[in-house]
Amino acid sequence: MHPLKLNPLSPVFFSVPNHRLGFDWYVNVTTAIIKDQEYLDFLDWLKKMGCPKTKLTLAEFSNTGRGMMATKDIKAGEVIVQVPESNLVTMKTLQSLYGARIARFGNKVNSHMIIALHIALLVQAPEKSGWLPYLRMLPKKFDTMPVRYPQELFDLLPQNAQAHVKKQKAKIMADYKATLQFLQSNSDLLTQPLQYEEYEWAWLVVNTRCIYLDAKKQVAADNIALAPMLDFLNHTHDAKTEGFFCTKTKSYKIRTLLPYKKGEQVFINYGPHDNCFILVEYGFVTPDNPFNYVTVDSNFLQLSIPGETPTAKKEKLELLDMAGYFGDYVLHRDDVSFRLLVGLRLRLINSFHKSSAATQLAIAQWHNVVSGELDQISPENERMVPVYVEQLCEEMLAQAKTNLGILARKKTTFPVMHLQQMWIEARDIILSIMDKIHRKEPL
């Protein structure tokens, strides 16, 4: 991939305490307005492409990296970004370039794959594409993305994030292999062979920057788009925005429902996602995220329960799977997931022999508890549930403390700070649940 180098920043510094952000390293934020030649060329390119002026400018924030800053006060209800349809990169807009080729290839393509290929091809010959000003504004690398973490940092991710990363890696590789197959009969598109690293970079550009043209159809094959300028806006969970395609102006618009003061970073909202999801998909985390939770699937499977034979454990897990309650066992700040309580109640049935009448009665009672027809299988079973929830908490708390200790000895980088924040928040969730147990509050 040809390097698209950025010039050093021409900084204008601000100290912007943002009342919406609550974590320590989100306070007293230093901001440098970006006025390098690449950005000025990009603004000129946007003007030629028909993009209206905005009250936003690109800036480097000490807490979040690049994002958009308000150059004037913005009122609630204002449109903050407007991208003409001709400036959107979608499967529809790429039909003129690749439509016949895609049709010959069959149904082995998807919009993410094709848009990523398009970006990779533009980078191979940026001067010829007409999109060089935009390409120069894209990240040169994605070191904050867990899919790019070295093994030592990957090992410090929570278990659900690790599983998510593995799926993402498999998806990128599958799309790359499909792309190579597509290029076998379309080699004239290439300036040089497409290497995996080039395609991974382009795939991550699309993944971290795309929008859904219709937020209600996030699985539609032709629904994603790259939207220059709009894709510089960062996410926070408490931003309130509306995204919509305006048929009258033939453009995609973002309207903020919150006001912003001059000098503040302006955000959009990607949806109700926890920090593990946001980190894996976008490469950052948000402070005080109310959607955070702690996954204890592995700990649940490894629980050692006195008197539970391997055969009984296997049969119980099969029952959980058949009933739709296998996995996704989580702790929230204020409660334990119903799925985890369901799983523990079954695991805590003593003398489990499926052929016995007593066990069949206990299983029937368990089903009735799940459906809400009974409050408990037995007083003893219900008494033991918080005991084992606390055991799970203690195990996860020990892991959080260990990982925080390891991270404290590492050089401070964005990935290290992201991992620290996730484990601090996990620790706080665990301590909150343990406190409820000690105060004998309902779970």
Side-chain angles (χ1 to χ4, degrees):
M1 181 172 63
H2 298 303
L4 298 170
K5 295 184 179 179
L6 298 177
N7 287 337
L9 301 180
S10 301
V12 179
F13 292 104
F14 290 86
S15 181
V16 185
N18 193 320
H19 64 275
R20 296 185 179 91
L21 305 174
F23 226 74
D24 287 346
W25 50 282
Y26 275 74
V27 180
N28 297 320
V29 176
T30 301
T31 306
I33 295 177
I34 295 174
K35 289 189 175 181
D36 57 47
Q37 191 59 49
E38 277 77 10
Y39 184 53
L40 295 177
D41 290 343
F42 174 69
L43 292 178
D44 185 55
W45 178 78
L46 287 177
K47 183 178 179 181
K48 291 176 181 177
M49 297 288 279
C51 291
K53 290 183 178 181
T54 74
K55 294 182 180 179
L56 305 176
T57 191
L58 190 63
E60 189 81 18
F61 297 87
S62 59
N63 58 339
T64 60
R66 286 192 166 195
M68 301 305 290
M69 189 191 83
T71 58
K72 299 178 180 178
D73 289 353
I74 297 174
K75 297 177 182 179
E78 279 194 60
V79 171
I80 52 176
V81 176
Q82 180 175 329
V83 183
E85 184 177 24
S86 58
N87 226 23
L88 297 172
V89 184
T90 68
M91 281 287 278
K92 180 180 177 181
T93 60
L94 294 179
Q95 282 298 312
S96 61
L97 292 175
Y98 310 112
R101 298 172 187 264
I102 292 172
R104 288 195 299 269
F105 192 63
N107 60 359
K108 298 178 182 179
V109 301
N110 60 72
S111 57
H112 196 145
M113 166 191 156
I114 291 298
I115 295 174
L117 172 61
H118 177 66
I119 294 298
L121 294 176
L122 291 182
V123 171
Q124 285 197 353
E127 292 81 5
K128 299 178 182 179
S129 69
W131 280 64
L132 181 59
Y134 175 66
L135 297 174
R136 280 179 170 164
M137 299 304 297
L138 296 175
K140 291 187 291 182
K141 52 187 178 180
F142 286 95
D143 290 347
T144 66
M145 296 290 293
V147 74
R148 300 287 299 146
Y149 277 9
Q151 189 66 42
E152 62 180 26
L153 290 184
F154 174 83
D155 291 340
L156 295 173
L157 286 165
Q159 57 186 260
N160 55 318
Q162 290 188 14
H164 192 160
V165 171
K166 290 177 181 177
K167 289 181 181 179
Q168 189 179 75
K169 282 184 177 180
K171 172 63 175 161
I172 297 172
M173 181 56 72
D175 280 359
Y176 175 61
K177 289 179 178 178
T179 298
L180 292 183
Q181 291 179 0
F182 174 78
L183 290 171
Q184 284 179 357
S185 56
N186 295 282
S187 58
D188 59 300
L189 293 171
L190 292 168
T191 303
Q192 61 191 42
L194 182 64
Q195 303 300 320
Y196 175 79
E197 291 74 16
E198 296 177 79
Y199 185 79
E200 180 191 58
W201 174 86
W203 195 97
L204 291 173
V205 165
V206 178
N207 199 66
T208 58
R209 308 178 82 82
C210 73
I211 60 169
Y212 290 95
L213 295 177
D214 184 345
K216 297 177 182 178
K217 298 180 180 178
Q218 294 196 4
V219 295
D222 60 351
N223 194 38
I224 67 170
L226 286 179
M229 185 59 135
L230 187 159
D231 57 6
F232 295 148
L233 286 160
N234 290 326
H235 158 88
T236 185
H237 63 267
D238 56 0
K240 292 181 173 57
T241 56
E242 290 179 343
F244 58 98
F245 187 82
C246 178
T247 55
K248 183 178 181 180
T249 60
K250 292 190 179 300
S251 61
Y252 188 85
K253 299 181 180 182
I254 293 287
R255 176 185 291 125
T256 179
L257 304 182
L258 292 174
Y260 288 90
K261 294 292 185 181
K262 177 181 178 180
E264 283 191 320
Q265 183 171 182
V266 178
F267 293 94
I268 57 175
N269 193 325
Y270 297 173
H273 303 302
D274 70 291
N275 273 343
C276 281
F277 180 93
I278 292 172
L279 181 62
V280 175
E281 291 293 325
Y282 304 111
F284 63 91
V285 294
T286 63
D288 301 323
N289 188 335
F291 304 106
N292 286 340
Y293 58 85
V294 176
T295 298
V296 294
D297 286 19
S298 296
N299 307 74
F300 176 87
L301 293 176
Q302 294 167 11
L303 269 180
S304 177
I305 297 176
E308 184 183 60
T309 66
T311 299
K313 179 179 178 180
K314 179 175 179 293
E315 290 173 342
K316 290 173 183 177
L317 295 180
E318 288 172 351
L319 276 171
L320 285 170
D321 193 28
M322 290 173 59
Y325 284 95
F326 184 81
D328 292 330
Y329 304 131
V330 302
L331 308 172
H332 299 283
R333 184 174 295 276
D334 298 318
D335 60 66
V336 176
S337 70
F338 182 68
R339 296 179 66 86
L340 177 55
L341 297 177
V342 165
L344 285 173
R345 287 176 177 128
L346 184 61
R347 291 284 307 276
L348 291 169
I349 294 176
N350 293 323
S351 302
F352 193 91
H353 303 285
K354 283 187 73 174
S355 59
S356 73
T359 297
Q360 288 299 316
L361 175 60
I363 292 173
Q365 290 174 317
W366 172 74
H367 279 293
N368 288 334
V369 171
V370 173
S371 65
E373 295 179 36
L374 283 178
D375 292 331
Q376 59 185 27
I377 296 172
S378 70
E380 178 61 15
N381 182 280
E382 202 65 18
R383 185 185 70 80
M384 293 302 295
V385 168
V387 173
Y388 280 89
V389 170
E390 185 170 19
Q391 182 175 323
L392 294 173
C393 286
E394 288 171 349
E395 292 172 2
M396 288 302 300
L397 183 60
Q399 183 181 358
K401 290 180 177 179
T402 296
N403 288 346
L404 284 169
I406 295 171
L407 289 164
R409 296 188 292 272
K410 292 186 177 295
K411 179 182 177 181
T412 300
T413 61
F414 272 117
V416 168
M417 289 194 298
H418 296 160
L419 288 167
Q420 285 176 323
Q421 182 174 337
M422 288 206 302
W423 282 112
I424 287 171
E425 291 173 343
R427 180 197 64 191
D428 291 347
I429 288 171
I430 294 162
L431 289 173
S432 175
I433 296 301
M434 293 178 75
D435 185 53
K436 289 191 72 169
I437 293 171
H438 296 160
R439 288 188 277 113
K440 301 187 183 304
E441 294 182 2
L443 297 176

